[in-house]
Amino acid sequence: TTQTPAPAPVIGELIEARPVEQIDPVYPFNCAPSAQGVETVTVAFTVTSTGRIAGERVAGSTNACFDEASLNALRRWRYEPRTVDGVAKPAYDQIHVFRFERP
């Protein structure tokens, strides 16, 4: 008798978190007097296994006046969570740079 080999199991399938809703920050006009033409805020965060943002923090900023506007926008983002072998997992150490241009 001949046996058909069993299909090899899929091991290590990884699908990274991907954004499904990204809200742009509102330019804080109270920052305008101290602002350069372009200011940037780098944020670090975790995408939870439910696609929410957690542990958000400012990792770098050209003008601290823009930090809160960046974090407020980031908190409203939603993601398809990262999956490992079909199971939703947190995605740590995500980075995004918000760019503010003087209106």
Side-chain angles (χ1 to χ4, degrees), residues 38-50:
V38 175
E39 300 284 3
T40 59
V41 178
T42 303
V43 291
F45 57 98
T46 296
V47 177
T48 68
S49 59
T50 61

Side-chain angles (χ1 to χ4, degrees), residues 22-84:
Q22 291 181 313
I23 308 300
D24 289 330
V26 175
Y27 189 98
F29 286 100
N30 62 310
C31 297
S34 68
Q36 300 297 314
V38 175
E39 300 284 3
T40 59
V41 178
T42 303
V43 291
F45 57 98
T46 296
V47 177
T48 68
S49 59
T50 61
R52 301 281 185 178
I53 300 298
E56 65 277 2
R57 65 182 175 79
V58 173
S61 179
T62 59
N63 184 332
C65 192
F66 292 86
D67 294 358
E68 198 57 39
S70 299
L71 292 173
N72 285 340
L74 179 65
R75 289 179 186 118
R76 296 166 52 199
W77 286 17
R78 300 292 171 261
Y79 276 76
E80 283 288 328
R82 176 180 196 247
T83 59
V84 178

